[in-house]
Amino acid sequence: LKRFSGRSKLSTFVDFPLQELNLERYAADDSRSDSSNFKYNLHGTVNHFGSIYHGHYVAVCKHAKQQKWHKYDDE
């Protein structure tokens, strides 16, 4: 996803499903024989807070067995 324009950070809200995100329409026509290859589930994110020159990163990841989300922040 494009998050910067020049030296400015974009603040565009991005909304998508956490389960079964289908990206088939973005695939090349000759690779669409199995549509299940284009479905994705979200397992983690990384968020940046600050400017293009400095800032702080925070990750959020889903535990595979517990199915709980955990925040990883070294603040």
Side-chain angles (χ1 to χ4, degrees):
L1 299 174
K2 183 177 179 182
R3 302 306 301 150
F4 294 92
S5 178
R7 296 179 183 208
S8 298
K9 191 171 180 181
L10 300 174
S11 60
T12 306
F13 180 75
V14 179
D15 187 25
F16 56 91
L18 301 182
Q19 301 291 320
E20 299 289 321
L21 173 62
N22 190 342
L23 298 177
E24 181 178 11
R25 69 181 176 159
Y26 303 106
D29 290 335
D30 61 349
S31 65
R32 295 183 184 196
S33 61
D34 182 5
S35 64
S36 65
N37 289 335
F38 304 103
K39 293 183 180 175
Y40 295 88
N41 298 326
L42 184 69
H43 296 280
T45 66
V46 177
N47 299 295
H48 177 263
F49 302 95
S51 73
I52 192 170
Y53 298 107
H54 68 279
H56 183 72
Y57 289 91
V58 176
V60 181
C61 302
K62 189 174 185 180
H63 190 283
K65 291 185 180 180
Q66 296 174 354
Q67 296 296 300
K68 292 182 181 179
W69 290 90
H70 299 274
K71 180 180 174 184
Y72 299 91
D73 184 351
D74 65 352
E75 184 174 58

